[in-house]
Every structure is written in structure tokens, then in C-alpha cells.
């Protein structure tokens, strides 16, 4: 029975390929030079294109979800229908080895070097770390998942940045205080089915940054309101649902209702759009993209920050690449720094360890 089970998969795969008129994939093994990399690539192709697995795996995952509440892919089931992104939890619960990169020193060097390069061109830097969802809502995790709400590595980095005179927005304290003082029915600051903040959490972050820029620091003056709020409710599934890639499980979740608010011109009613000549550049990752480039559009952090500042902004978004890629993108387009007096740099907490391309020092070209 065991041998028959082993043979059933390749035989079924071969039959499916021949039925569709495809060249048998097993022949690829003889069309490549014998090497470790080619063998691993062949095995990866087999896993990804195995017909029987594509049929059986979703139903197996659905059965595990129904019986064990186990979700597939990089997702994790929490309490009260809340879902979490596994790399974020991995950052929070796993101890990083001493030899693993990036180190705190490498991150500090990348941030201070970026600050110094901007400062040499007369531009201020304000850093904003977007907290992992579990850092603000550890009570929504299943018991035993983690013991504390914020990784000491995050707190250490924030302290070191402040000691290096990096202006930093502490959203961790802001969100925790907001949760502590919230009245009943006030709503959550993160989405149950998504890895990002809710419209309420996003607006709280935007108001906090606007008060810091226009009030405490005084780097950019707030102007009289030129925008109006346009309530635009949205009903959709979150990105963690999409990560499952198992329709049988996805259908078991009802979409979330989001109280989004678009930002529009007060006089023309036209939806917000960036101004390349703005003195403020906002750069970051998907925490800037959600509600802005996603549904409903013109309702994200950048738009709400513009609303609270009373002026349009310039934005640069690299989805998932705020540690290094967004700075490389900026370096390739130095014109984005023209007329700027402030750069706001947002990156998600998990990028402290898992940032794409690490934390490289990126030279910026000087403006003419």
C-alpha cells in the first residue's frame, strides 16, 4: 500500500501532463547539467507544478483548519477571529543569534548615515516605526504564543536612535495609550484579518505625525484646511486571508467592514493627489499603501497626513522594501528631494530583522 501510494503521484502527474498535451516534466531532469543547484531547482519545480498536490493539498489544509484551527502559509489563527502574519510573530518570539545580520549597529549606521546625508542638504529626517500587529494586540494571540507585547530588540533600537539624536515617532506608546483610554465601541487600531492598521489606527498615526511636525518640531507649518473628508465604507477580506491561497478556507471568513475616509479637495471635490513640489516627502512600505493605492484609494496615511497638515505631500512607496529598497529607489531619483525640507521614513517593525536587502548604507546624490 505504501509503495502504491508513492507511485500514484508520479503516475497521476504523467497522465495529467499527457492528457493536456504537455511535455512530461520528469524529462527536465535529463536536460540540465547534474549539479546541486539544478537538482534543487528541479525539485522546486516538481513541488510547485504537481497536479495531484494542487488537488489534494487545499482539501487537506481545509481539513486541518476545520479540525485543528490551523491556517496555511504564513498565517496564524488567533483569538476572536483575529489572524496574524507569521514573520511578524517570528520576529517577536524568536531570539536572534549573535552572528545573524543585520545587527543593531548596522541598522543604526544605516539610519544615521541617511539622516546625515539629508542634513547636509538642509533636510530634516523623522523616523516612524509601524508596530507589528501583535505588539499592540498580544491579547488577540492564542495563549503561550508570546510572553510580552514588544520585542526588547525594538525598544533597544528606539533608544539607540534617540540617543543618536534621530527624531522618532513612538507609535508603540501612542497605540498602547489609545487602547488603554478607549471607550467602549471605539474600534480597533489594527484589522482582524489584515497585517496592517485599521482606518482609525492609520488616522491616529497621521494626526500624531502632523502634531509632531507642525507643533513640537515646527519643521513645517500647518496651513488652513484645504481638504474635506469623504466617508467611503469598504467591505473586503484582509491580506492575511489572501495569503492562505485556499479557497475552501477563505470562504469561511466574512469580509471586514472598514470605515474608510477619502481625502478630497474642498473646492473641486477632486480626490487627493501628491504634489512633487511639496516640502515634505513621505517614504515607506505597505503601511503607506493600504487605503491609498488599495481600495478605496486616496484614503491612506499620506492623504490623512496631508489633511491634518493642510497641505499636499510627496510620497514614495516600496511595498515590503522600506529598510533599504525605498532608499535605493530614492537614490535613483534624486529629483524627489527637490524643494524638500522634511523626509518622513516609515518602516514596519519586523523589518528590523527581516528587511528586504537588509540595512545597507545607500549614498544619495546631491541636488544641483
Amino acid at each position: 500500500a505504501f509503495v502504491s501510494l508513492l507511485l500514484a503521484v508520479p503516475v497521476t502527474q504523467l497522465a495529467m501532463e499527457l492528457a493536456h498535451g504537455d511535455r512530461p516534466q520528469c524529462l527536465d531532469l535529463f536536460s540540465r547539467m547534474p549539479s546541486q543547484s539544478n537538482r534543487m531547482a528541479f525539485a522546486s519545480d516538481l513541488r510547485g507544478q504537481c497536479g495531484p498536490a494542487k488537488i489534494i493539498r487545499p482539501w487537506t489544509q481545509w481539513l486541518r483548519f476545520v479540525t485543528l484551527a490551523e491556517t496555511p502559509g504564513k498565517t496564524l489563527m488567533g483569538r476572536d477571529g483575529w489572524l496574524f502574519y507569521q514573520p511578524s510573530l517570528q520576529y517577536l518570539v524568536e531570539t536572534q543569534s549573535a552572528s545573524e545580520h543585520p545587527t543593531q549597529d548596522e541598522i543604526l549606521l544605516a539610519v544615521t548615515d541617511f539622516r546625515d546625508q539629508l542634513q547636509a542638504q538642509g533636510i530634516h529626517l523623522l523616523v516612524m516605526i509601524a508596530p507589528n500587529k501583535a505588539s499592540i494586540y498580544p491579547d488577540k494571540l492564542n495563549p503561550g504564543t508570546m510572553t510580552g507585547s514588544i520585542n526588547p530588540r525594538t525598544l533597544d533600537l528606539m533608544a539607540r536612535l534617540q540617543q543618536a539624536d534621530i527624531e522618532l515617532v513612538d507609535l508603540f506608546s501612542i497605540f498602547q495609550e489609545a487602547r488603554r483610554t478607549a471607550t467602549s465601541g471605539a474600534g480597533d487600531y489594527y484589522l482582524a484579518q489584515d497585517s496592517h492598521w485599521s482606518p482609525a489606527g492609520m488616522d491616529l498615526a497621521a494626526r500624531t505625525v502632523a502634531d509632531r511636525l507642525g507643533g513640537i518640531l515646527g519643521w513645517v507649518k500647518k496651513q488652513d484646511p484645504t481638504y474635506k473628508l469623504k466617508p467611503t465604507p469598504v467591505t473586503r477580506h484582509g491580506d492575511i486571508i489572501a495569503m492562505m491561497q485556499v479557497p475552501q478556507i477563505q470562504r469561511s471568513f466574512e469580509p471586514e467592514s472598514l470605515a474608510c475616509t477619502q481625502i478630497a479637495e474642498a473646492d473641486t471635490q477632486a480626490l487627493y493627489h501628491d504634489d512633487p513640489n511639496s516640502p515634505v516627502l513621505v517614504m515607506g512600505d505597505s503601511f503607506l499603501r493600504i487605503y491609498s493605492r488599495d481600495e478605496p484609494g486616496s484614503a491612506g496615511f499620506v492623504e490623512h497626513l496631508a489633511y491634518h497638515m493642510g497641505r499636499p505631500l510627496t510620497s514614495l512607496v516600496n511595498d515590503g522594501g522600506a529598510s533599504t529598497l525605498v532608499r535605493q529607489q530614492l537614490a535613483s531619483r534624486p529629483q524627489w528631494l527637490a524643494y524638500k525640507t522634511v523626509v518622513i521614513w516609515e518602516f514596519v517593525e519586523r523589518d528590523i530583522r527581516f528587511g528586504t536587502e537588509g540595512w545597507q548604507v545607500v549614498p544619495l546624490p546631491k541636488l544641483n
Side-chain angles (χ1 to χ4, degrees):
F2 178 66
V3 172
S4 298
L5 184 63
L6 291 179
L7 291 175
V9 175
V11 170
T12 304
Q13 175 71 10
L14 179 61
M16 294 175 66
E17 291 169 342
L18 294 175
H20 289 89
D22 297 331
R23 177 176 178 270
Q25 189 181 8
C26 60
L27 297 179
D28 292 346
L29 183 63
F30 305 101
S31 64
R32 306 177 183 182
M33 291 293 293
S35 67
Q36 178 75 358
S37 60
N38 283 340
R39 183 191 65 79
M40 294 179 65
F42 175 74
S44 177
D45 291 343
L46 281 180
R47 286 193 298 269
Q49 301 178 27
C50 180
K54 290 181 179 179
I55 297 172
I56 298 172
R57 184 182 295 119
W59 290 105
T60 302
Q61 292 172 327
W62 175 80
L63 182 61
R64 294 170 70 93
F65 171 74
V66 172
T67 57
L68 303 174
E70 180 180 299
T71 53
K74 297 180 178 181
T75 65
L76 186 69
M77 194 76 184
R79 293 176 170 178
D80 304 323
W82 278 58
L83 297 167
F84 291 87
Y85 182 47
Q86 279 193 357
S88 294
L89 290 178
Q90 184 180 351
Y91 168 78
L92 292 175
V93 302
E94 290 185 0
T95 302
Q96 183 173 342
S97 65
S99 59
E100 186 179 343
H101 294 278
T103 64
Q104 298 286 73
D105 289 340
E106 290 171 337
I107 300 173
L108 183 63
L109 175 61
V111 177
T112 55
D113 179 80
F114 186 55
R115 186 271 314 272
D116 294 343
Q117 291 188 71
L118 292 174
Q119 203 170 62
Q121 302 192 50
I123 303 173
H124 299 288
L125 174 65
L126 180 63
V127 173
M128 180 180 74
I129 303 176
N132 286 326
K133 179 177 171 179
S135 293
I136 307 302
Y137 287 93
D139 51 303
K140 295 297 184 180
L141 291 164
N142 287 319
T145 303
M146 59 187 294
T147 56
S149 60
I150 302 177
N151 190 326
R153 181 178 172 84
T154 300
L155 299 176
D156 176 64
L157 177 62
M158 292 171 63
R160 296 183 68 178
L161 290 174
Q162 291 171 329
Q163 291 170 4
D165 294 326
I166 299 292
E167 292 294 341
L168 181 70
V169 177
D170 183 4
L171 290 182
F172 296 85
S173 298
I174 295 295
F175 282 130
Q176 288 179 334
E177 179 63 14
R179 284 202 68 190
R180 187 184 68 82
T181 59
T183 58
S184 177
D188 297 312
Y189 297 105
Y190 277 70
L191 299 175
Q193 298 179 358
D194 203 286
S195 59
H196 300 93
W197 44 33
S198 67
M202 172 273 300
D203 185 65
L204 175 57
R207 283 187 281 117
T208 301
V209 173
D211 291 342
R212 184 73 172 273
L213 283 179
I216 299 173
L217 296 174
W219 287 349
V220 182
K221 290 184 178 180
K222 290 186 179 182
Q223 296 180 341
D224 294 333
T226 59
Y227 300 105
K228 73 168 200 172
L229 300 174
K230 182 181 177 183
T232 312
V234 171
T235 301
R236 69 177 182 90
H237 285 108
D239 64 347
I240 301 179
I241 299 289
M243 292 176 197
M244 294 180 182
Q245 297 183 335
V246 180
Q248 294 90 328
I249 299 178
Q250 292 171 318
R251 286 193 292 266
S252 66
F253 290 92
E254 293 293 330
E256 287 186 278
S257 297
L258 312 181
C260 296
T261 304
Q262 292 179 308
I263 306 300
E265 298 280 353
D267 50 356
T268 66
Q269 313 301 313
L271 294 179
Y272 168 89
H273 58 85
D274 279 356
D275 178 6
N277 297 325
S278 171
V280 180
L281 169 64
V282 188
M283 49 186 278
D285 52 32
S286 57
F287 276 78
L288 305 186
R289 182 256 300 156
I290 190 170
Y291 315 123
S292 178
R293 302 182 182 183
D294 294 347
E295 190 180 12
S298 301
F301 175 86
V302 174
E303 290 83 2
H304 279 251
L305 179 57
Y307 171 79
H308 293 298
M309 293 298 299
R311 60 167 70 236
L313 312 173
T314 307
S315 61
L316 179 59
V317 180
N318 189 299
D319 203 340
S323 61
T324 291
L325 293 181
V326 74
R327 288 181 292 125
Q328 291 176 337
Q329 194 172 348
L330 177 62
S332 67
R333 301 177 184 178
Q335 68 272 16
W336 286 65
L337 289 175
Y339 313 109
K340 299 297 178 284
T341 58
V342 175
V343 169
I344 302 169
W345 181 15
E346 174 274 326
F347 54 86
V348 67
E349 181 186 5
R350 65 176 176 270
D351 277 1
I352 294 173
R353 181 179 178 187
F354 299 124
T356 306
E357 300 296 328
W359 288 84
Q360 302 176 26
V361 172
V362 178
L364 295 177
K366 292 186 178 180
L367 296 173
N368 295 329

